[in-house]
Amino acid sequence: MTGCSSGKETATPQQQAPASGKVTLFYLQKQGDQQYFVEQAQGAQEKAKELGVELKVVNLGQDANKAITELDAALAQGANGIAIVVPDQAIGPQVLDKAKSAGIPIIASDDVIKDGGGTKSPFVGFNGSQMGDSVGKEAAKLFKAAGWTAADTKIISAYKQDLTVCSDRVSAAKAAFDKTLSDQKSGAQVPVIEVGTDNTPVDAQNRTGAVIGSNPGVKHWVVWGCNDENETGAVTALANSGVPAADIIGVGLGAYLTCKDWAAGKDTGNKSALFISGAEVGRTAIGLLVDKVKNSKELPPETIAKTQIVTKDNYKQAGVNCI
């Protein structure tokens, strides 16, 4: 992972003296039962054990009110530092104000949060635009190789539409897709169908099912989304409606669900995926917090994790955890 500064002052909490005794950290996660966040928690626990600190992981589900309640509880229990993946970015100012008032360092994980003045909290995770760019380029490469045309092809872009990281990803995917095909002088402008979801595979599958029925003339489908849950859910809906795997180009974002068809040896529309490691994000967040608490080292404004396109041929070597 590489750290990079935006050049802007970040909303850091009050200075805290280095902790010489027991250190207790909290990782508050939205959707803690999702595979990505399960692996994130595991990576965080591994790093906490390595560094000799206690880590308490809390699953917030998708409940913004619970996030505030659990944050209050963590502060009341004497937390020395907190990493948080908020269920709703709108609570960012409240979260940061509480941490600042308590003098506790806090780092946003995965989803950016800002204070009331619009200043970002220290962040560890992925660059949404870069991720989307990689997905879009991969989809365009596969589209071109398949010899498809825009006339009988449509793109399904599935994502939670009120989440900025999701909007950043899918917008960048479309821009990269169009630019790549334009650079190749294909002249293709493939229509995009935006499917609003709650970022779960079941919802993506159900909502995509309705889209398929209203587009009977489409022969080929390109699929991407905010995460693996969206992409695999949409691809499953297409398969269930009778679309052959050869007529689907699905590019996942995560690889932890996309890989399941590959591991099972299935003929699938899940053609490739951008591999992101939740475990690495978790390890890094804890390492940064411990450095802040024990050594008074300032939290970097932004720490971005590396990503990699994988397929059925190389996902194992890349380290994808396909359970």
Side-chain angles (χ1 to χ4, degrees), residues 276-301:
I276 60 176
S277 173
E280 187 60 25
V281 171
R283 284 191 289 266
T284 301
I286 296 306
L288 293 172
L289 281 173
V290 171
D291 229 5
K292 168 63 176 173
V293 173
K294 287 191 171 183
N295 305 317
S296 295
K297 185 175 180 180
E298 289 304 312
L299 294 171

Side-chain angles (χ1 to χ4, degrees), residues 130-146 148 172-181 184 222-224 231 249-253 258 262 269-275 308-314:
Q130 289 178 3
M131 294 163 75
D133 186 76
S134 296
V135 168
K137 286 178 179 176
E138 175 70 5
K141 182 188 79 173
L142 295 173
F143 175 86
K144 184 69 174 177
W148 298 354
K174 180 60 167 62
F177 183 87
D178 288 344
K179 185 176 187 301
T180 301
L181 293 180
Q184 295 172 349
V222 175
V223 181
W224 60 59
E231 185 268 343
I249 293 173
V251 181
L253 202 162
T258 317
W262 303 338
N270 295 310
K271 297 301 193 295
S272 59
L274 185 69
F275 174 40
Q308 174 186 352
I309 289 289
V310 295
T311 68
K312 64 183 179 65
D313 297 321
N314 70 345

Side-chain angles (χ1 to χ4, degrees), residues 58-75:
V58 181
N59 179 11
L60 305 174
Q62 299 189 70
D63 190 339
N65 290 327
K66 184 176 182 181
I68 298 301
T69 300
E70 293 292 350
L71 175 60
D72 286 338
L75 296 174

Side-chain angles (χ1 to χ4, degrees), residues 137-317:
K137 286 178 179 176
E138 175 70 5
K141 182 188 79 173
L142 295 173
F143 175 86
K144 184 69 174 177
W148 298 354
T149 66
D152 58 4
T153 304
K154 285 192 177 180
I155 297 167
I156 291 176
S157 178
Y159 64 106
K160 194 172 190 297
Q161 296 178 334
D162 61 353
L163 191 58
T164 59
V165 291
C166 287
S167 299
D168 290 345
R169 294 173 189 179
V170 298
S171 295
K174 180 60 167 62
F177 183 87
D178 288 344
K179 185 176 187 301
T180 301
L181 293 180
S182 175
D183 289 347
Q184 295 172 349
K185 305 187 185 306
S186 70
Q189 289 293 319
V190 183
V192 176
I193 302 173
E194 295 194 350
V195 179
T197 76
D198 64 4
N199 274 356
T200 65
V202 173
D203 196 46
Q205 181 177 336
N206 291 339
R207 293 179 183 272
T208 299
V211 165
I212 299 167
S214 60
N215 288 271
V218 181
K219 182 178 180 181
H220 305 299
W221 295 90
V222 175
V223 181
W224 60 59
C226 179
N227 54 18
D228 250 26
E229 284 76 9
N230 280 287
E231 185 268 343
T232 57
V235 168
T236 298
L238 289 167
N240 288 347
S241 71
V243 179
D247 290 327
I248 305 170
I249 293 173
V251 181
L253 202 162
Y256 48 87
L257 294 182
T258 317
C259 68
K260 292 183 183 296
D261 282 354
W262 303 338
K266 291 183 179 179
D267 184 20
T268 177
N270 295 310
K271 297 301 193 295
S272 59
L274 185 69
F275 174 40
I276 60 176
S277 173
E280 187 60 25
V281 171
R283 284 191 289 266
T284 301
I286 296 306
L288 293 172
L289 281 173
V290 171
D291 229 5
K292 168 63 176 173
V293 173
K294 287 191 171 183
N295 305 317
S296 295
K297 185 175 180 180
E298 289 304 312
L299 294 171
E302 187 175 69
T303 306
I304 302 300
K306 294 179 181 179
T307 60
Q308 174 186 352
I309 289 289
V310 295
T311 68
K312 64 183 179 65
D313 297 321
N314 70 345
Y315 76 97
K316 291 181 180 179
Q317 296 92 318

